[in-house]
Amino acid sequence: MIEFINTTKEFHVGQATVKALNHINLTIQKGDIFGVIGFSGAGKSTLLRTVNLLEEPTSGEVLVNGKNLTKLSKKQLREEKKNIGMIFQHFNLLHSKTVFDNVAMPLVLSGANKSKIAAQVQEVLTFVGLQDKAHRFIDELSGGQKQRVGIARALITKPTILLCDEATSALDPQTTKSILALLKRVNSEYGITILMITHEMEVIRDICNRVAVMENGQIIEEDNVLHIFSAPKQDTTKNFVQSVVRNEIPQSVYEQLNVIDGSKRIYNMKFIGVDVGQPVVSQVAKKFAVDVNVLFGNITELQGIPFGHLIVELVGSATEIQKAFLYIQSKNIHMEEVVAHEGEHTDYHQRTVGYAVHG
Amino acid sequence: MKVSTQIIINALLDTLYMVSISLIFGAILGFILGIVLVVTRKGHILENKIIFSIVNPVVNTLRSIPFIILLVAIIPFTRLLVGTAIGTTAAIVPLVLHIGPYISRLIENSLLEVDEGIIEAAKAMGASPFQIIHKFLLPEAFPSLILSVTTATIGLIGATAMAGAVGGGGLGDVAITYGYQRFDNVTILVTVVLLVVLVQIIQSIGNTIERKLRRVA
Ligand SMILES: Nc1ncnc2c1ncn2[C@@H]1O[C@H](COP(=O)(O)OP(=O)(O)OP(=O)(O)O)[C@@H](O)[C@H]1O
Ligand SMILES: [Mg+2]
C-alpha cells in the first residue's frame, strides 16, 4: 500500500519555484494496478519518484506499507528499496553487462552468494520469457526484450511494489501489448502492487483497475477505471477518455437527422458492463413494432467488461418507439436521443434513467 | 659523430620507463580527481560544494602550466619527494603532476557521458555511492576510459621529450642533444620514427581494447 498525505514537492530553478506536486492525497491499495495519467509536466514522474525517495517531498508524507521512508537510516532505506522495484521508459540497463549480470545486480549489491543469485536470476528470466538470452549483451536485444530485462531486474528482490515510469512509451503498439500483459502477470501471479504513470489512455484501459488524472501538480480526478471511462468529470479526463473511446457522434449521423421524418428517432446507447449489442437490439426488434438499424458502433473492453456505445435508429410509431426506449432502459442501458445540433457543437439532449456501473 | 644503437636503445627504455611509471601514478591521481570532480558536483551522488570548489581550480591551474615550466618550477618539491631533482626518476614527479590532472579531465568527461538513467536505476536499487561508482559508473564508462588513458599515454610520450631538461634521458633527449645540437639528421630521423611507431602502437592497442569492450565488429 502506498499513501500520499499532503505530499508537496517544490523545485527551485534560479529564482523561480516550480510546484511539481501540490498537496497530493492519494491511496494505492495493495494489489492495485494504479495508473496515473496526465500531460507532460503534470508532475507524474515526480509523484512516482517520491515513493522510493528518488525525490524527497518538500512537505507532507509518503507512506509505503505504513512506513515513512524519510524517517529511516541509510541502511534501513537501502533494505526497504528492495521492496520497491522500478522500471523506466529507457530501461536504464548497463550496456557493459550481460542480461544475467544486469538482472543479478540488485542481489550483487546486497552481497548475496553466487548460487542463490544464479537460481533467482534463472527464475525471473524464465518468468519474463528470456531464459535463453541470459548471456546476451543489452545492445543485442529489441526494445521489448530490454524492458523484460528491466522487469526481471525489478523482480529479483521480490518486491511488493513495482513503479513504472512510462514503461511502454518507447515501444511500438504490439510490443506495448506484450509488456502490459507481462505486467498484468506480475500483478496477478506475484500479487505485486503496480503504480504506473503514462500519457497513454490505452495503457490505463488495458491493465489498470484505478486511475488518477494529474494536472499542474494536482490530482484532478481519481476513480476506478470503469467510472472514469463511463463518466469522466474533468475536461482533461474527458479528452483522455476520448482518445481511446471515440464517444462523439459522427457527422454522418447528424446528416441523417436532417432527412428524418416523424417515424424515426436516433439514439446513442451506452453500454457499461452489460451484454453488448445484439441481444438487446434483436429483442427490441422482436418485442416491439420497431425496426432497429445500427448506424455506428464502438465497443471496447475494460477489465474484461464490454464498454462502448452504439448509435441506433428506431423506426416505427411514436408509441412503439417510446415502449422500446423504456424497455432498453430497463436493461440498465444508458440511452440518449441524438437531436439536431446548432452550429458545430455536438451536444445532445439527454433522456437518461440510470445505468449500471460495475467495479 | 654517429650515435650508437646502444644509446638509442637505452633512450627508448628510458622513455618507456618514464611513460609507464608516470602513467601508473598519473592514472591513479587522475582517476581519483576525475571521480571526485564528477560525484561532488551539484546534483550528483556526493554533492559537496567545498571539495568541488577546491579540486576544480587546482586541476585547472596544473593543467594551464606548460610542462617545461612545471618541470622547473617544482624542482624543490621533486627533490623533497625522490631525493634528487635530476635524472629519469626525478622527471617522473613533474610528469605525474602534469598528466594526472589531464587524465582527471578525460575521466571526468567519460563519467559524465554515462546516462543519468543508470544512476537513477542504481539509486532505485538502493546502491551506496561507492557501489554506484564501482558497479555502475566505471563499468559503463570503461571503453571510453580506455580511450582517455590512451590519449593520456600519447601525451606523456610528448612530455617525456622535455624531460631532457632535467637530465631525464629518453628518446626526446637524444634527438635534441645528438640531433639538434650536433646536426645529426640520422639520429633525429631514427628517434622520430621510433616515437611515431610507439604512438601508433599505443593508439592501436587502445582502439582495439575499446572496440572489444564495446563489442563492435
Ligand atoms: N529536477 C528538477 N528540477 C527542476 N524542475 C523539475 C525537476 N524535475 C521536474 N521538474 C519540474 O516539475 C514539473 C513536473 O515534472 P515531471 O517530470 O514530474 O512531469 P511529468 O508529468 O512526468 O512529465 P512528462 O510526461 O514529460 O514526463 C515540471 O514542470 C518539471 O519541469
Ligand atoms: Mg515523466
Side-chain angles (χ1 to χ4, degrees), chain B residues 56-121:
Chain B
N56 196 41
V58 167
V59 167
N60 279 344
T61 309
L62 284 170
R63 291 266 291 115
S64 60
I65 303 173
F67 179 64
I68 190 78
I69 295 174
L70 183 74
L71 194 65
V72 179
I74 63 157
I75 282 178
F77 176 69
T78 305
R79 189 173 288 130
L80 194 75
L81 214 61
V82 292
T84 170
I86 48 167
T88 316
T89 306
I92 287 172
V93 178
L95 280 172
V96 169
L97 279 187
H98 169 70
I99 210 67
Y102 179 60
I103 293 179
S104 77
R105 285 294 177 210
L106 295 174
I107 302 282
E108 182 190 22
N109 285 338
S110 298
L111 294 181
L112 289 177
E113 271 170 32
V114 176
D115 188 351
E116 271 185 52
I118 299 279
I119 300 170
E120 186 120 326

Side-chain angles (χ1 to χ4, degrees), chain A residues 9 11 31 61 86-87 108 122 124 136 154 160 167 188 190 211 225 245 263 266 290 295 314 319 331 357 359:
Chain A
K9 175 71 188 183
F11 290 108
E61 283 188 293
M86 187 170 190
I87 58 172
V108 170
Q122 185 60 32
V124 288
R136 293 290 185 82
T160 62
S188 62
Y190 290 118
V211 55
V225 170
V245 183
S263 67
I266 296 177
V290 292
L295 301 179
L314 301 185
T319 49
K331 296 283 177 194
V357 172

